Amino acid sequence: MARIAVIGAGMGAMAAAARLATAGHRVTVYERSATHGGSVGRLERDGFAFDTGPGLLHLPAVWRDLFVKTGKEPLERCVELVQVDPASRHVFPDGTDVSLPNASRSGIVSALDAALGSGAGERWGEFLGRARETWERSRRPLLEEPLPADRSPLSRDPYPALRRGLFRRPARTLGEIGERELRDPRLAALLGSHAVAYGLDPRTAPASAAVLPYMEQTFGSWYVKGGLRALADAVYERCLARKVEFVFGAAVTGVREKDGRAAGLELASGGPVEADVVVCGALLPSLFEEHIGRPSHREEWPHWQPRVRTGRVSVHLALRGGREAAAVHRTVVHAPDPAAEWDAIAAGRTAPRPTVTVLRPDDPLLRPDGDHESVTLVSTVPNGLHGGQTWAEAAEHAADRMVEAAGAAVPDLRERILWREVRSPEDTRHATGTDRVPAPALAGASGAFLPAANAGDLPGLYVAGGWAHPGGGLAHAGMSGALVAGLIVEGAEFRGSQ
């Protein structure tokens, strides 16, 4: 039985802790804040409740596997999962809009044809076929196995080339797919929105990001009754049931070394902690710089630009008036000029008219009664502002523009607002330790979009969570916990679950 110290109580870290404790290890989690869940937070006020992190769950099988492997009680006994249908609605600048059914390729094709014109659905369906090839080529090495020592296969983009006549030139970016293959600015915006949700510019995101809409539209979108925070609570309770110990208010300042391997933690207060193994589940810059390598050969990627550091502004709205029966859980209101939006973000400014995701869960647990509604607006922004502006001022201005845009999704929105709370990247940093939002691992681009490996450069040090392989997102965080636990329990030869 090893003594294992886990840094942070985020979802990936807790997933690793529960699995390691089930394997018989003594696990203690040290969390800088007063609660668990990391970015999966919750805001409560006046009978209203809101998720302050992710609003929907994809690939719930990842979390089902965690609960099966760590006890006899399945996930569905701990939380109530609800399929979201329609999965999403998209409102475009020209006034057209389309609602896409959940996990139905034929339904999506029909909806796009009806809303955007004959042929739109067919082009999207053909794109999904190529995205499926991308998924099948990259799924196991990119999501289910630790990063190999030889990462060259993942440096090449698995998105297949579209043959036209005698020429066969593969798209290099998601933006090129939209322009050359979808040939409709609305379809291009639909495609790009899946990258934008993770703070990626479609113009520079590799073509392999096609797996993002494929995963969502193939495996479906799910909501957790009571909000995604209920899932974080369930994982925390599972950790406690497996005898994982939690120490809150314990900021970690470094990793102790002895005989060339990790030997414990240094805390901001309370003295050193001894451990046989350390799992880092939080973004600690000094630790990443010293002991956690990031596989990247950016100079080999001709289309690569320095990744724009992005965060999110979230606007939580308490509304008078009940949610109409035809309301859609998630609506994306697209920016009139996506290129101008990303030019502004790259320059350290909030966009004059951003892309806004509107979340309207039909959940009585999030509102005081049927005569009120909880709504959350989310938009991607730079995590640092040009010219010394502070987020205290900029976030309110960004929120005004987001509310204006969201009026296309919520009838009479402005007149219904009782109050709002705005959260900027600075608020995210205070809550989670970082103002950035991690993106999923993506193949191609000479490895520029691969996160840190799960095994650090220092023996005995491992990494879980959104900043580690296979990257950001709730499902990916759960996968990282499984990979870390496998490496610790079975050793370096572990190649993922078979």
Side-chain angles (χ1 to χ4, degrees), residues 317-389:
L317 302 173
L319 304 185
R320 60 171 66 87
R323 181 182 187 272
E324 67 270 21
V328 175
H329 187 115
R330 176 180 53 168
T331 299
V332 180
V333 182
H334 292 269
D337 188 342
E341 177 182 24
W342 277 97
D343 287 342
I345 292 172
R349 303 190 304 270
T350 57
R353 170 57 178 80
T355 297
V356 178
T357 298
V358 183
L359 298 173
R360 305 180 67 189
D362 186 11
D363 190 345
L365 298 176
L366 302 187
R367 56 187 183 240
D369 53 50
D371 294 326
H372 296 85
E373 183 182 5
S374 298
V375 172
T376 295
L377 316 180
V378 183
S379 189
T380 296
V381 296
N383 71 341
L385 294 172
H386 175 72
Q389 241 188 329

Side-chain angles (χ1 to χ4, degrees), residues 162-174:
L162 176 63
R163 184 181 292 277
R164 287 204 179 151
L166 298 176
F167 299 98
R168 182 183 174 94
R169 178 187 161 222
R172 293 174 294 180
T173 67
L174 211 59

Side-chain angles (χ1 to χ4, degrees), residues 55-70:
L56 287 174
L57 179 66
H58 302 109
L59 293 177
V62 172
W63 297 101
R64 291 191 181 108
D65 182 72
L66 172 72
F67 277 74
V68 167
K69 298 289 177 58
T70 59

Side-chain angles (χ1 to χ4, degrees), residues 9-19 22 29 36-37 40 57 60 62-67 70 73-75 78-79 224 228-244 246 474 477-478 481:
M11 297 297 283
M14 289 197 295
R19 290 176 183 270
T22 301
V29 177
H36 59 275
V40 186
L57 179 66
V62 172
W63 297 101
R64 291 191 181 108
D65 182 72
L66 172 72
F67 277 74
T70 59
E73 192 175 23
L75 174 63
C78 302
V79 296
V224 179
L228 269 291
R229 177 66 185 186
L231 176 62
D233 292 342
V235 175
Y236 174 66
E237 292 296 332
R238 178 51 54 94
C239 285
L240 294 179
R242 300 281 77 82
K243 308 301 182 186
V244 175
F246 285 81
L474 270 177

Side-chain angles (χ1 to χ4, degrees), residues 146-168:
L147 280 175
D150 178 13
R151 292 161 183 142
S152 57
L154 289 175
S155 297
R156 296 187 290 270
D157 201 308
Y159 186 78
L162 176 63
R163 184 181 292 277
R164 287 204 179 151
L166 298 176
F167 299 98
R168 182 183 174 94

Side-chain angles (χ1 to χ4, degrees), residues 106 183 185 229 384:
S106 61
R183 306 190 309 279
R229 177 66 185 186

